[in-house]
Amino acid sequence: MDTSLEKIADPTLAEMGKNLKEVMRMLENSQRIEEENGKKPVSEDIPGPLQGSGQDMVSILQLVQNLMHGDEDEEPQSTRIQNIGEQGHMALLGHSLGAYISTLDKEKLRKLTTRILSDTTLWLRRIFRYENGCTYFHEEEREGLAKICRLAIHSRYEDFVVDGFDVLYNKKPVIYLSAAARPGLGQYLCNQLGLPLPCLCRVPCNTMFGSQHQMDIAFLEKLIKDDIERGRLPLLLVASAGSSGVGHTDKIGRLKELCEQYNIWLHVEGVNLATLALGYVSSSVLAATKCDSMTLTPGPWLGLPAAPAVTLYKHDDPALTLVAGLTSNKPADKLRALPLWLSLQYLGLDGIVERIKHACQLSQRLQESLKKVDHIKILVEDELSSPVVVFRFFQELPGSDPAFKAVPVSSVATAAVGRERHSCDALNRWLGEQLRQLVPMCGLAVLDLEVDGTCLRFSPLMTAAVLGTQGGDVDQLVTCIQSKLPVLTCTLQLREEFRQEVEGTAGLLYVDDPSWPGIGVVRYEHVSDGNSSLESDPEGEKIHTGLLKKLNELESDLIFKMGPEYKGTKSCIYVGMASDDVDISELVETIAVTAREIEENSRLLENMTEVVRKGIQEAQVQLQKANEERLLEEGVLRQIPVVGSVLNWFSPVQASQKGRSFNLTAGSLESTEYTYVHKVQGTGVTPPPTPSGTQSKQRLPGQKPFKRALRGSDAVSETSSVSHIEDLEKVDQLCSGLEHSSPEAHCPEQISTAPAPTARQTETLQNKAQHPEDDDPQVEGLERLR
């Protein structure tokens, strides 16, 4: 590229291209070096004073890089600069080149901007099959639609320029939006146009026939007729060619006929408009070429950073387009097309088609792979040309079978279905987070739909060019989904069982948290739980903290967390996801018993503290009484220092040591006389053994807690135990028969009644006798036979 830059006659242009390449190289290399060294740049948020001597370019670029990447904690965000590519460099060069071109004289600037605008308009119209249209380039994606609405107002209200809002007040305009339109679009249009919110009319989607994300055309026609009868003016309809949610395309051909019938402006937007550049286009998307206007976003489609959006429209009055702001005589406005003008020439027609085709192939590859995966539902299956794939994890309920739809469903079944829906939403959110971390190159997005719930969206047209998504990334995504399915299905199956076990266990309260993707949430209700307020529960928090510590010490495969309950502040235990069959009864019993033991131990410690305090006070009172009694027995003279010593020498007093000891087991005071006499401390009452609330379940070697034993191992153990008992019975019978057949027997009639060993039993005994190393009672029977 340096050789090609030397051929440029204008030294400023050559220096600009060289500097841009050098800047991008410095940013990418410094970022890569910091990632290899494991050091993150430190960015100072506090602005400092402007240096008087100035700084060089390297220092300034280093500051820019620190501000860009200093606060990033996620790896996927830092990969965007590395995947810009040469076409991205051309788009960035367009912004720098626009500032340089604006310094030319007016005549040269006018000719250059006119050429750039006309070339870009011609290329875009031919690529996306929009004949005889004009273009408007804008930074904000919704800005083009706002200008189109202004143009429609000027076209339908001839006196709007003179009378202004009075014309709109007499006959209010109505803008129709689909219920599946992107959020905030109607509010944005009203703010930009200065219209009240009643000027917006939200058209519902199909409920009986067709897709649930397509506009209901019959209901739309009814709304238009009602507005005309009320004296309103149907102004504009916004249709979708790839909705913001699931990528559905409205029936644009039928909507165009309806708009022509009632003289309504039809505007189309959506990601599926990119497929107009391909050789094969679906009829629903191809009908968008006949609409009055449409908005394109070639920047994310082609991986062009900071590229403007484009609105193509058809209108014959240049004066109205100038008033509406769609055209401008300012050279700076015309230079908005410069980044696209450079990038489109760099890519060429084949490069543009190849990138869009690659994105569509990625979506088709994922869609075909997900059809073979169980428990994965694809929301867009009828539109094979859609570059958007929306899917979610699900598991059928018995009541969701179509055969049961005609049967009345009880409120209990409805509640169960509602819980299942919330559970699936939480699991899909968890799945989306996991996949975004494992396969960041796919650029998955998690979205909440009103009808279908939480779903995952794969839109390679908006992410593949920037992230560099390839077919191998899609295959890795499918593999990761398949690896997570056992965890999802097992967890979903155990949630209901966990809820029932908790509700049937005394002292436990099941907390319904729809946002938790694990098995469930449980809270232990201690004795004073009802007396504590919702804001503070220190005793409950202490119990749950100890419970969490005990559960984590069991080293099971389950993950336990503690946090506030759903829509509350009291502490709860959150049980994580299960990857294998879990014994829910043992789990719930362990939680209940452990929490009860923690509470009892805490209560015992508090009671013991109170008992010890009272015991000390009682001991002090008794010792004081003992001192008073000793004073009365010995007399006052013995308490005088000199006189007391003389009296004690002539007449010593035999006083025993009297003290008090506190028996923690009995909780009472005892005399220390026994200790001083026998020189041995009294044992007191032997404390009873502490009962263990948790029943230790017999586990196989290597089996972790809360795991159910394998059925095969149970069957083997049961079979071996039964055969073992049968062999013992046979040995006892043989031994008793042989003993009765000995010469010392006193009852010969019992010899005939004793069962004689068969040939098979004898062979079995001989085989077992050959292995005397087995420590088994049967070997002892053989020794007795010998």
Side-chain angles (χ1 to χ4, degrees):
M1 186 173 178
D2 295 337
T3 306
S4 59
L5 289 176
E6 294 176 356
K7 300 179 181 179
I8 300 177
D10 193 336
T12 306
L13 290 178
E15 186 68 20
M16 187 181 304
K18 183 178 180 181
N19 289 340
L20 177 63
K21 183 180 179 181
E22 184 68 19
V23 167
M24 296 303 300
R25 185 186 62 81
M26 291 176 60
L27 290 177
E28 294 173 357
N29 291 341
S30 58
Q31 180 185 358
R32 184 171 58 254
I33 292 174
E34 288 171 355
E35 289 179 354
E36 293 176 356
N37 297 334
K39 299 180 180 180
K40 294 184 61 177
V42 180
S43 60
E44 298 181 358
D45 297 333
I46 302 177
L50 182 63
Q51 299 183 7
S53 59
Q55 301 183 36
D56 55 359
M57 182 179 295
V58 177
S59 301
I60 297 175
L61 291 178
Q62 185 67 34
L63 176 61
V64 172
Q65 184 200 356
N66 294 344
L67 295 175
M68 289 171 58
H69 305 287
D71 298 332
E72 286 187 357
D73 296 330
E74 297 181 1
E75 292 293 334
Q77 296 181 359
S78 62
T79 59
R80 289 186 177 272
I81 288 186
Q82 298 178 3
N83 295 328
I84 284 180
E86 292 293 337
Q87 75 276 5
H89 290 178
M90 295 300 297
L92 297 177
L93 179 61
H95 294 277
S96 303
L97 192 57
Y100 172 67
I101 292 177
S102 61
T103 60
L104 300 177
D105 59 86
K106 293 183 179 180
E107 185 63 24
K108 291 183 178 180
L109 182 61
R110 184 185 63 81
K111 292 182 179 180
L112 182 57
T113 54
T114 302
R115 171 67 184 274
I116 293 174
L117 185 61
S118 59
D119 286 349
T120 311
T121 301
L122 177 62
W123 298 337
L124 291 175
R125 287 189 319 188
R126 291 185 176 180
I127 292 173
F128 297 101
R129 309 185 184 192
Y130 197 82
E131 300 296 335
N132 301 325
C134 303
T135 55
Y136 173 66
F137 299 90
H138 46 92
E139 302 296 334
E140 171 64 36
E141 186 177 346
R142 300 171 296 181
E143 183 183 352
L145 178 57
K147 300 291 186 182
I148 291 297
C149 292
R150 199 179 300 276
L151 176 61
I153 291 175
H154 283 283
S155 300
R156 298 298 300 275
Y157 295 92
E158 297 179 358
D159 299 332
F160 179 72
V161 179
V162 180
D163 299 334
F165 187 74
D166 292 337
V167 180
L168 303 180
Y169 180 78
N170 295 329
K171 199 171 186 179
K172 296 180 181 179
V174 182
I175 301 175
Y176 300 94
L177 295 176
S178 173
R182 48 183 163 173
L185 180 60
Q187 182 73 29
Y188 173 82
L189 293 178
C190 290
N191 294 338
Q192 295 295 320
L193 301 175
L195 297 177
L197 290 178
C199 291
L200 289 177
C201 182
R202 190 166 294 274
V203 183
C205 297
N206 295 323
T207 55
M208 298 296 295
F209 305 99
S211 173
Q212 296 179 350
H213 303 277
Q214 288 181 341
M215 193 182 302
D216 192 341
I217 300 178
F219 197 86
L220 171 62
E221 188 173 5
K222 181 179 179 299
L223 292 175
I224 294 174
K225 292 180 180 179
D226 293 343
D227 290 332
I228 294 176
E229 292 177 358
R230 295 177 184 177
R232 298 180 177 182
L233 178 64
L235 181 67
L236 184 138
L237 171 64
V238 181
S240 296
S243 58
S244 60
V246 299
H248 274 279
T249 301
D250 293 326
K251 299 179 181 179
I252 301 177
R254 180 69 180 91
L255 292 176
K256 178 59 179 177
E257 297 176 359
L258 192 63
C259 290
E260 290 179 351
Q261 180 181 353
Y262 294 98
N263 195 16
I264 301 176
W265 188 288
L266 178 59
H267 180 84
V268 181
E269 61 180 14
V271 68
N272 289 357
L273 292 176
T275 59
L276 291 172
L278 303 179
Y280 171 77
V281 187
S282 63
S283 58
S284 57
V285 178
L286 188 60
T289 59
K290 306 298 181 182
C291 63
D292 298 306
S293 60
M294 63 179 180
T295 298
L296 309 174
T297 55
W301 297 348
L302 306 177
L304 307 177
V310 185
T311 296
L312 301 174
Y313 64 94
K314 297 177 181 179
H315 202 271
D316 299 332
D317 193 345
L320 293 182
T321 57
L322 182 61
V323 173
L326 290 170
T327 57
S328 175
N329 294 326
K330 297 180 180 180
D333 296 336
K334 296 181 179 181
L335 284 176
R336 292 177 182 174
L338 182 57
L340 272 180
W341 185 73
L342 295 174
S343 301
L344 293 179
Q345 292 185 84
Y346 180 83
L347 292 174
L349 180 60
D350 296 338
I352 296 171
V353 174
E354 182 61 29
R355 278 165 173 75
I356 297 176
K357 184 179 179 181
H358 174 68
C360 294
Q361 289 176 348
L362 291 177
S363 63
Q364 294 297 318
R365 187 169 187 168
L366 179 61
Q367 184 173 351
E368 294 297 329
S369 300
L370 291 180
K371 288 181 179 179
K372 305 175 184 177
V373 181
D374 296 333
H375 305 294
I376 294 295
K377 178 183 178 181
I378 303 176
L379 273 64
V380 187
E381 293 186 359
D382 55 339
E383 299 184 10
L384 297 178
S385 60
S386 176
V388 180
V389 180
V390 179
F391 60 95
R392 75 189 305 264
F393 164 77
F394 81 105
Q395 193 166 8
E396 291 288 348
L397 285 175
S400 61
D401 196 328
F404 295 94
K405 290 186 177 180
V407 181
V409 182
S410 62
S411 59
V412 178
T414 304
V417 173
R419 287 194 299 268
E420 193 79 10
R421 163 72 180 271
H422 292 309
S423 300
C424 287
D425 289 346
L427 294 177
N428 278 281
R429 281 190 291 270
W430 176 86
L431 178 61
E433 294 175 359
Q434 293 293 317
L435 295 178
R436 290 174 64 179
Q437 295 177 3
L438 297 175
V439 196
M441 302 300 292
C442 288
L444 283 180
V446 181
L447 66 156
D448 294 324
L449 301 178
E450 183 178 358
V451 178
D452 301 289
T454 304
C455 302
L456 307 180
R457 180 179 61 195
F458 176 66
S459 183
L461 263 177
M462 304 299 293
T463 59
V466 177
L467 300 177
T469 310
Q470 301 296 328
D473 299 324
V474 176
D475 297 338
Q476 183 182 0
L477 176 63
V478 176
T479 303
C480 293
I481 293 175
Q482 293 175 342
S483 64
K484 298 298 180 182
L485 283 180
V487 181
L488 296 173
T489 54
C490 185
T491 302
L492 190 59
Q493 292 173 359
L494 295 176
R495 285 178 71 101
E496 185 64 21
E497 182 182 355
F498 180 79
R499 183 186 67 83
Q500 295 177 359
E501 283 288 339
V502 171
E503 292 177 351
T505 304
L508 296 183
L509 177 65
Y510 180 79
V511 180
D512 191 5
D513 189 350
S515 62
W516 177 247
I519 294 179
V521 186
V522 63
R523 181 162 64 88
Y524 177 72
E525 293 181 307
H526 51 90
V527 176
S528 58
D529 193 7
N531 300 329
S532 61
S533 61
L534 294 177
E535 287 76 14
S536 61
D537 185 16
E539 184 177 355
E541 184 176 356
K542 182 179 179 181
I543 293 175
H544 286 88
T545 302
L547 177 60
L548 177 64
K549 182 179 179 181
K550 292 290 185 181
L551 292 175
N552 289 329
E553 289 176 355
L554 296 178
E555 296 183 355
S556 64
D557 291 337
L558 296 176
I559 298 177
F560 300 94
K561 295 182 180 180
M562 191 184 75
E565 62 180 343
Y566 181 67
K567 295 184 178 180
T569 58
K570 292 188 176 182
S571 300
C572 297
I573 296 296
Y574 289 78
V575 186
M577 308 187 72
S579 59
D580 200 354
D581 196 8
V582 177
D583 192 346
I584 296 297
S585 60
E586 181 187 357
L587 171 62
V588 175
E589 180 185 2
T590 303
I591 294 176
V593 172
T594 307
R596 194 177 301 114
E597 289 178 356
I598 294 174
E599 182 186 14
E600 292 176 356
N601 293 336
S602 177
R603 197 182 310 153
L604 177 62
L605 181 61
E606 294 176 359
N607 296 337
M608 185 61 66
T609 303
E610 184 65 20
V611 171
V612 170
R613 186 181 63 82
K614 292 181 179 181
I616 293 174
Q617 295 177 356
E618 184 180 355
Q620 291 177 351
V621 173
Q622 293 184 8
L623 290 176
Q624 186 177 0
K625 290 182 179 180
N627 291 331
E628 294 177 355
E629 293 176 357
R630 185 172 59 85
L631 180 62
L632 294 176
E633 292 177 359
E634 296 177 358
V636 179
L637 294 178
R638 291 183 182 274
Q639 309 303 322
I640 301 175
V642 179
V643 179
S645 299
V646 175
L647 291 177
N648 290 333
W649 185 73
F650 284 103
S651 177
V653 178
Q654 299 295 331
S656 61
Q657 298 289 340
K658 294 183 178 180
R660 296 292 184 271
S661 64
F662 186 77
N663 192 338
L664 294 177
T665 305
S668 61
L669 288 174
E670 298 177 355
S671 177
T672 59
E673 185 176 359
Y674 179 85
T675 303
Y676 285 104
V677 172
H678 298 281
K679 307 299 181 180
V680 177
Q681 186 174 359
T683 57
V685 182
T686 303
T690 304
S692 179
T694 306
Q695 299 179 359
S696 60
K697 184 178 179 180
Q698 297 295 333
R699 298 188 180 92
L700 297 175
Q703 182 182 359
K704 293 187 177 181
F706 314 131
K707 291 289 186 181
R708 290 176 179 170
L710 298 177
R711 296 181 179 179
S713 60
D714 293 343
V716 171
S717 60
E718 292 176 0
T719 305
S720 60
S721 61
V722 171
S723 61
H724 182 71
I725 295 174
E726 292 178 352
D727 293 339
L728 288 178
E729 292 177 353
K730 294 179 181 178
V731 170
D732 292 339
Q733 292 176 0
L734 292 175
C735 293
S736 61
L738 291 176
E739 287 177 356
H740 288 298
S741 63
S742 61
E744 292 81 9
H746 297 283
C747 299
E749 64 273 12
Q750 295 180 356
I751 299 176
S752 60
T753 59
T758 61
R760 184 176 181 181
Q761 293 175 344
T762 305
E763 182 181 358
T764 303
L765 294 176
Q766 291 176 357
N767 292 334
K768 292 185 177 180
Q770 294 177 1
H771 302 279
E773 67 275 3
D774 295 335
D775 187 11
D776 192 74
Q778 300 176 5
V779 179
E780 299 179 2
L782 293 175
E783 297 296 333
R784 291 173 58 190
L785 288 177
R786 290 181 178 178

